[in-house]
Amino acid sequence: MRRIPVWLKAVYTAFVAAIVPVYVRQYGWRNFLWFSDVALLLTVPALWLERPLLASMQAVSVAVPETGWTIDLAARGLSGTRVIGLADYMFDRKIPRAIRALSLFHLWLPPLLLWTVWRLGYDRRAFRAQTLLTWTVLVTTYHVTDPADDINWVFGPSGSPQQRIDRRVYFLLVMAMYPIAFHWPAHFALTRLFPGPSDAATLDRAAATATR
């Protein structure tokens, strides 16, 4: 039984296909190491394959950070207050307004992932699997990106390199922070909000039977 509508898969895939070349031209391919962009890309196979683990991993990855992005955007837009710095680029007039508008996917991607997890079920293995993926992305980011870009904040908090402690020590702290501060709270909430994949499938079959 298909649980994700084909039209939604097609529309989402078309959006990703459109945004990738624009982002590569504007920001370069390394920009896709940001976890929000990793989630944007991996949600394509998660939707088409309807794999609970893949969808659950992306929900664990971005639910907390994207909430921070939204708060940052709202605070900066409404009062001019810089809360975190995640959404600073949304107010950079050097970036074309149309390209900044594309980044509004940060607002609707988390709800889409939560809806997908609700449909497919939350796979409890997501916390461990996403932590391994996160560490892989962080190590890659540390070695292949420019510290001035500070992608995923691997070189300093709030988007700029720090100088207070050895950067290798700081990086190890970042690797510890992601699963503790971001992934675990999301995993804790999702475990309690959504059934597992087998339970979700059972509920779907029961609903289908009831409507016959």
Side-chain angles (χ1 to χ4, degrees), residues 167-210:
R167 74 177 194 174
R168 291 168 294 184
V169 174
Y170 171 81
F171 177 66
L172 291 175
L173 293 175
V174 169
M175 290 188 69
M177 179 198 70
Y178 269 85
I180 294 172
F182 299 151
H183 301 347
W184 177 253
H187 170 72
F188 181 84
L190 293 170
T191 299
R192 283 150 182 78
L193 287 173
F194 301 117
S198 59
D199 295 328
T202 299
L203 291 172
D204 275 350
R205 287 194 294 269
T209 301

Side-chain angles (χ1 to χ4, degrees), residues 35 57-65 122 126-135 138 175 177-190:
F35 286 106
M57 288 171 62
Q58 305 323 303
V60 164
S61 176
V62 301
V64 174
Y122 177 65
F127 172 73
R128 180 181 299 177
Q130 182 56 42
T131 296
L132 293 175
L133 177 58
T134 291
W135 285 343
L138 288 175
M175 290 188 69
M177 179 198 70
Y178 269 85
I180 294 172
F182 299 151
H183 301 347
W184 177 253
H187 170 72
F188 181 84
L190 293 170

Side-chain angles (χ1 to χ4, degrees), residues 5-6 10 14 18 26 30 35 41 59 64 66 74 76 79 94 97 119 127 138 149 155 162-163 191 212:
V6 173
Q26 178 68 33
R30 291 176 180 83
F35 286 106
L41 297 176
V64 174
E66 294 290 53
R76 184 75 177 271
S79 66
K94 295 178 183 177
R97 185 174 297 177
R119 293 294 297 151
F127 172 73
L138 288 175
D149 294 330
F155 296 104
Q162 61 82 35
Q163 306 293 334
T191 299
R212 290 177 183 173

Side-chain angles (χ1 to χ4, degrees), residues 30-103:
R30 291 176 180 83
N31 187 77
F32 287 99
L33 289 169
W34 282 104
F35 286 106
S36 55
D37 294 308
V38 172
L40 182 74
L41 297 176
L42 290 182
T43 298
V44 173
L47 291 175
W48 283 102
L49 299 176
E50 299 191 1
R51 296 292 176 86
L53 178 59
L54 195 52
S56 299
M57 288 171 62
Q58 305 323 303
V60 164
S61 176
V62 301
V64 174
E66 294 290 53
T67 299
W69 189 94
T70 301
I71 293 171
D72 203 36
L73 178 70
R76 184 75 177 271
L78 295 175
S79 66
T81 304
R82 184 179 189 266
V83 177
I84 305 171
L86 280 173
D88 282 354
Y89 68 97
M90 293 294 287
F91 301 91
D92 185 351
R93 294 184 179 180
K94 295 178 183 177
I95 302 174
R97 185 174 297 177
I99 294 177
R100 283 182 281 159
L102 289 174
S103 289

